[in-house]
Amino acid sequence: MTDDDGQLEARLEAQDVFEPSDAFVSQANVSDPDVYERFDAEWPHCWEEAADLLTWESPYDQVLDDSDPPFFEWFTGGELNASANCLDRHLDERGDEAAIEWVGEPVDEANRTYTYEELHREVNEFAAALREQGVEADDVVTMYMPMIPELPVAMLACARIGAPHSVVFAGFSAEALATRMNAADSEYLITCDGYYRRGDPLDHLAKANEGLADVEHDTTTVVVDRLGPNGDDFGHDLGAAQHDYGDLVGAHAGATVEPVTRDAEDMLFLMYTSGTTGQPKGVKHTTGGYLSWVSWTSQAVLDVKPEDTYFCAADIGWITGHSYIVYGPLALGTTTMMYEGTPDYPDRDRLWEIVEAYDATQLYTAPTAIRAFMKWGTEYPDRHDLSSLRLLGTVGEPINPRAWTWYYTHIGDDSCPVVDTWWQTETGGMMITTLPGVKKMKPGSAGPPLPGVDVELVDAAGEPIEPGQAGYLTVQKPWPGMLRTLYRNDERYIDEYWAEYSDVDSDDPDDWVYFPEDGAKIDEDGYITVLGRVDDVINVSGHRLGTMEIESAIVGVEGVAEAAVVGGNHDIKGEAVYAYVITEDGYEGDETLREAIVAGVEDAIGPIARPEQVVFSPDLPKTRSGKIMRRLLENIADGEEIGNTSTLRNPEIVADIQAQVTE
Ligand code: PRX
């Protein structure tokens, strides 16, 4: 054990409650402890405070329309445009200030700064180009792009002309892209030639084109030239319906496009996410409620101020980047950072170098990254002056107290509050976390629900549980940032999120309860520790994956008869994919099949879903009725004791599987 470990251990023993410093509280955007009571008393009118952070073209008539639950509507009758809120309204006062500071992965490449003025200009030009290409309000435009500035430009250009975007994470496979474009009937794709990963240029357009080949309708594509001459080796030629981004923007130099007036409830974007069944779910977010929510939480929880240089190290391809790299920070007129690459390229201090170079004031990242930093050791952050940081955040998965305390001590130098924020793609923005200017922090616990957010922990029957017990998270009242439905599938929206604990025949909004599919514990102070998903969704490095999606990729591989996928504990990733596979007669569970399975998963979903272990077995542990015992497979993956197996149809199989996993 190193000295550092010793000190960390001592601290973990000694301290489980941390108070925000007086210095932080005295400058915090929200520091009034009465905010909780006030929001309860005023609900739902408390959320006017969030809507007031935006500029409305016409005011809303009603804060909440709950006449048709669970199709709740917020700020109805109000009109606004998200791009005007993120750009135009800042021009007078902050036109020359940086909106985006972009850092590419190669260290010898010039970084790029977009002032609000410059970002506004490029968004207008690209909006004009998209219009010329035929994009109209309500057309879904897909983006398949890595962390390059043209991604937020494209999102805001779409918002400007009222076209919802659907961003597909660049690490997803061609097949995943095609599935999402087909599901949304999306006729437009914005992508790029490639990007850098650990020093190498990566051919992204080849993957995009492969996906486009499986799209069932005609498409128009815009391709950003990210790599310049470094992409020449890929030998790309743009096809007939493919346009170069630079040419399009150049052809519309100086163009201005009036922001299209959008109803508060008009769709701002779609985001596909994993659920229990094989098909990804198209989560629909709206213009007024979503933008209010991410703006309010950005200022209340992340303490974002216009003069900050705020750094969220997520990817815009996931909801965290949508809400807390693009929309929340830009709506508040701050400077938002974007980093293209991985935190360990060219060395393990890359993030700390960026924080120091830009005097970043907040850092928002995932527990998986923090655990990796912890493993790499303090020598990397110690090389840099991180004293510009004022607040730290984490999101995406449970954070263990050890990682929390390391982050607080070594990155925050004991002076930055850490906000552990629980939320989901569906919630649009944060729901459970401490307000850093008001609440004490407890490592490992996200904290109480935000003011005005009505979270209750219940048992399987929907009855509230006592402090100290574990139960299920529920949200008892709607909130402005909530998803409105699953795209073109209202029925599935009800089934997936409401059916469990609601009286689905009732017209009374109080009878409707949102179920996020997470388990949690609550303590005497009302602090909530989120335990993780209770459905067939696993969380690998903060990335949400459906086990069914992975299973269907595996059973598609020749030679596989049956597969069961579970999440097993992993020191860095949180969870890792464990695949248990029964081979078809005549096939061997050998290295060739293992490789084919890994390739099959990468093709169907992407490398993030790659199985950590593939275990071949003549059978899987099943109940007498033939149901696969997933819990048991999880225990095996975690190397845990296996209890009584007498209820299994085939108990003899367990030892055989166990032996392979421990190998
Ligand atoms: O299980 C919870 C976990 O991530 C899930 C949502 O994943 P996704 O929609 O991809 O959004 C991730 C970014 C918001 C949740 O159902 N989760 C998220 N944040 C936390 C968390 N688990 C524990 N603690 C958190 N702070």
Side-chain angles (χ1 to χ4, degrees), residues 302 310-314 320 343 351-352 362-371 373 392-397 399 407 411 419-421:
L302 298 168
Y310 155 85
F311 186 11
C312 168
T320 303
L351 284 198
W352 318 126
Q362 291 94 339
L363 179 71
Y364 191 30
T365 187
T368 187
I370 298 165
R371 288 190 292 264
F373 300 144
L392 301 174
T394 132
V395 57
E397 34 165 345
I399 181 162
Y407 194 37
I411 307 304
V419 287
D420 172 1
T421 60

Side-chain angles (χ1 to χ4, degrees), residues 593-649:
L593 187 56
R594 190 185 310 270
E595 280 169 17
I597 287 170
V598 170
V601 172
E602 292 196 356
D603 284 349
I605 303 165
I608 47 168
R610 184 202 309 252
E612 184 86 6
Q613 283 213 26
V614 180
V615 176
F616 294 106
S617 169
D619 203 354
L620 292 170
K622 286 180 183 153
T623 59
R624 287 187 212 283
S625 60
K627 217 173 150 246
I628 297 176
M629 288 285 285
R630 289 171 172 282
R631 180 69 57 200
L632 205 146
L633 292 173
E634 275 169 28
N635 293 341
I636 296 175
D638 293 342
E640 287 168 359
E641 269 310 283
I642 306 295
N644 185 356
T645 53
S646 61
T647 54
L648 292 182
R649 194 176 67 188

